């Protein structure tokens, strides 16, 4: 009974995705209609997801930590997670830079004389670090600042473990709250097929022509790199470290993958990702810690996009990036991915930081801004797949460690 239910949601999302593409292409000349009357329903759906995501991150990380009952265990999971995230992200940029260089000859050279791009205040690396720590108990939730919510959850989780037996009631109250928010999320997720349709259709209607337009080669390069990274890095690591057949992994991840592709939001996909990875066998305590963290700091797809775009923008300005410059990009893009929020368009803002680090004009972002959403759909898909892969791997490694 359960299996048919699961299949049906995945199938519904898939059908919605296909219908959105067909409807979007048919509506090519009426993009205004799609944007005025279809997109708002997508926005309502995203709003509901945003509404639920803060309590989900707070309670799932906190309850995940409490259920481990041991600060050392949290440390061990945290370390494995962060090492996996940083290594795969650095690898992703290398793939992005390699792909960019390989296909550079086929990139269009667009005149850069009239370009302007208003970069929002670039956050320096040190600012990013400082901003992780909340100065107010409520503001992280009010402003939906995920990194600060994670710090809060870790602090509270540790404190609850340290207070020990005395606080049984608090623990059970938090677990109950966690269950309630999860139920709420399940209810919202039932609407995902409608959400997927209403989010994707306007994007296709407004960008359909642009896809086949001048940036097709750059988009194609990014998508080839997304595929290579997902197929090579995730297949190999999920098999060797996670002990799972990659086909089973990708199959089980399909609902989350389709949702990420349509919504372009890692944070928005978090509830569905938790669902998929648990069904795939990730431990709840691990997934509820690893996934919210990943949705906030692990952005492999974004890193690939930044590598490809840096090469493309440099080429348009007639600049050839040197090896040291590429090394700098690897470093800054890895750090930038930590500061990138898991919401649509965030990666493009962080591209400014990457370009600046190697002296490329930030105005160049204007070259890719028009089709950012198309880049974003692919990079978000890679981002959440990387998070899921990590939760399977860490679950497996922890199981082995405790079995020893
Ligand atoms: N939209 C991406 C995400 O949610 C972030 C980005 O813009 O690169 O993962």
């Amino acid at each position: 009974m359960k299996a048919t239910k699961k299949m049906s949601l995945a199938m519904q999302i898939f059908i919605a995705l296909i219908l959105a593409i067909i409807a979007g292409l048919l509506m090519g000349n009426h993009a205004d209609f799609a944007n005025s009357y279809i997109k708002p329903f997508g926005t309502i759906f995203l709003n509901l997801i945003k509404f639920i995501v803060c309590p989900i991150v707070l309670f799932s990380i906190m309850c995940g930590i409490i259920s481990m009952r041991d600060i050392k265990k949290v440390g061990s999971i945290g370390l494995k997670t962060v090492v996996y995230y940083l290594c795969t992200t650095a690898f992703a940029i290398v793939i992005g830079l390699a792909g960019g260089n390989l296909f550079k000859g086929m990139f269009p050279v667009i005149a850069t004389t009239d370009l302007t791009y208003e970069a929002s205040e670039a956050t320096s690396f040190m600012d990013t670090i400082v901003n992780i720590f909340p100065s107010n108990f409520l503001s992280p939730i009010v402003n939906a600042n995920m990194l600060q919510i994670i710090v809060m959850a870790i602090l509270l989780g540790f404190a609850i473990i340290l207070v020990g037996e005395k606080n049984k009631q608090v623990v059970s109250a938090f677990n109950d709250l966690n269950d309630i928010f999860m139920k709420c999320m399940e209810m919202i997720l039932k609407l995902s097929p409608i959400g997927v349709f209403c989010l994707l259709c306007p994007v296709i209607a407004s960008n359909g022509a642009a896809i086949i337009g001048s940036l097709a080669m750059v988009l194609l390069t990014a998508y080839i790199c997304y595929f290579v990274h997902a197929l090579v890095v995730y297949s190999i690591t999920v098999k060797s470290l996670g002990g799972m057949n990659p086909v089973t992994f990708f199959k089980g991840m399909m609902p989350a993958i389709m949702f990420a592709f349509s919504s372009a939001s890692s944070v928005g996909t978090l509830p569905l990702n938790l669902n998929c990875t648990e069904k795939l066998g990730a431990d709840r305590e691990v997934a509820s810690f690893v996934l919210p963290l990943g949705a906030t700091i692990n952005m492999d797809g974004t890193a690939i996009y930044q590598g490809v775009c840096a090469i493309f923008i440099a080429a348009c300005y007639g600049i050839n990036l040197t090896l040291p410059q590429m090394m700098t990009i690897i470093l800054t893009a890895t750090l930038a991915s930590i500061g990138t929020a898991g919401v649509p368009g965030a990666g493009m803002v962080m591209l400014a930081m990457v370009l600046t680090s190697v002296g490329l004009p930030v105005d160049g972002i204007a070259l890719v801004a028009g089709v950012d959403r198309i880049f974003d759909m692919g990079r978000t898909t890679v981002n959440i797949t990387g998070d899921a892969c990590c939760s399977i791997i860490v679950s497996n490694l922890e199981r082995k460690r405790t079995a020893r």
Side-chain angles (χ1 to χ4, degrees), residues 264-267 299 302 340-348 376 379-380 383:
S265 169
S266 295
V267 170
M299 308 270 165
T302 305
T340 306
V343 295
M348 192 176 74
D376 202 358
R379 61 188 194 239
T380 308
N383 292 346

Side-chain angles (χ1 to χ4, degrees), residues 58-379:
L58 180 66
F59 284 102
S60 73
I61 292 194
M62 210 160 62
C63 294
I65 290 178
I66 299 169
S67 65
M68 292 184 220
R69 285 199 203 92
D70 175 6
I71 292 189
K72 267 203 205 123
K73 186 169 180 192
V74 182
S76 144
I77 292 178
L79 186 70
K80 288 186 188 97
T81 307
V82 171
V83 169
Y84 181 84
Y85 283 162
L86 290 182
C87 291
T88 50
T89 304
F91 201 82
I93 311 163
V94 175
I95 292 185
L97 288 172
N101 277 306
L102 196 67
F103 294 103
K104 194 163 72 172
M106 288 186 255
F107 286 172
V109 179
I110 301 175
T112 52
T113 35
D114 302 327
L115 290 183
T116 46
Y117 172 79
E118 191 113 5
S120 46
E121 22 26 289
T123 339
S124 74
F125 175 59
M126 280 323 284
D127 284 344
T128 307
I129 302 276
V130 171
N131 289 337
I132 292 175
F133 298 91
S135 60
N136 177 299
F137 190 74
L138 296 178
S139 75
I141 308 254
V142 173
N143 300 320
N145 185 324
M146 292 300 157
L147 279 175
Q148 295 190 352
I149 293 178
I150 290 173
V151 170
M152 222 167 119
I154 294 176
L155 264 178
L156 288 170
F158 278 2
I160 291 172
I161 292 179
L162 290 174
V163 171
E165 275 299 295
K166 263 188 286 178
N167 58 25
K168 259 197 237 136
Q169 276 154 337
V170 173
V171 172
S172 90
F174 280 168
N175 280 327
D176 288 349
L177 277 171
N178 195 23
D179 290 345
I180 291 170
F181 285 120
M182 287 286 178
K183 194 73 208 160
C184 218
M185 164 200 98
E186 233 174 71
M187 285 154 54
I188 296 171
L189 284 183
K190 293 223 167 89
L191 300 173
S192 355
I194 300 172
V196 161
F197 179 86
C198 298
L199 286 168
L200 191 58
C201 177
V203 174
I204 303 279
S206 358
N207 288 290
I211 304 172
I212 12 180
S214 62
L215 287 175
M217 232 12 247
V218 190
L219 281 164
L220 188 66
T221 305
Y223 271 84
I224 290 174
C225 296
Y226 294 154
F227 269 108
V228 170
H229 184 76
L231 290 183
V232 175
V233 178
Y234 301 151
S235 296
I236 292 178
T237 53
V238 87
K239 174 90 192 134
S240 59
L241 300 171
M244 181 177 285
N245 183 336
V247 179
T248 314
F249 172 71
F250 285 111
K251 234 173 147 184
M253 283 300 295
M254 267 312 155
I257 284 178
M258 288 186 284
F259 187 86
F261 185 76
S262 324
S263 67
S265 169
S266 295
V267 170
T269 313
L270 184 56
L272 203 53
N273 210 0
L274 276 163
N275 230 311
C276 290
T277 46
E278 268 183 46
K279 280 182 186 149
L280 276 170
D283 291 335
R284 191 174 195 179
E285 59 179 29
V286 173
S288 57
F289 177 75
V290 170
L291 292 181
L293 192 67
T296 317
I297 69 165
N298 181 46
M299 308 270 165
D300 294 357
T302 305
I304 291 174
Y305 149 87
Q306 287 171 339
V308 171
C309 286
I311 300 279
F312 166 63
I313 291 169
C316 287
Y317 281 95
I319 300 167
N320 254 326
L321 291 176
T322 60
L323 198 61
Q325 277 178 316
M326 292 201 211
M327 302 295 277
T328 311
I329 291 183
I330 294 175
L331 188 70
T332 40
T334 306
L335 298 176
S337 86
I338 298 175
T340 306
V343 295
M348 192 176 74
V349 176
M350 293 313 263
L351 181 59
M353 174 173 150
V354 175
L355 295 181
T356 318
S357 73
V358 286
L360 286 172
V362 173
D363 286 354
I365 294 181
L367 290 169
V368 285
V371 287
D372 183 63
R373 181 64 183 221
I374 314 274
F375 281 113
D376 202 358
M377 298 192 308
R379 61 188 194 239

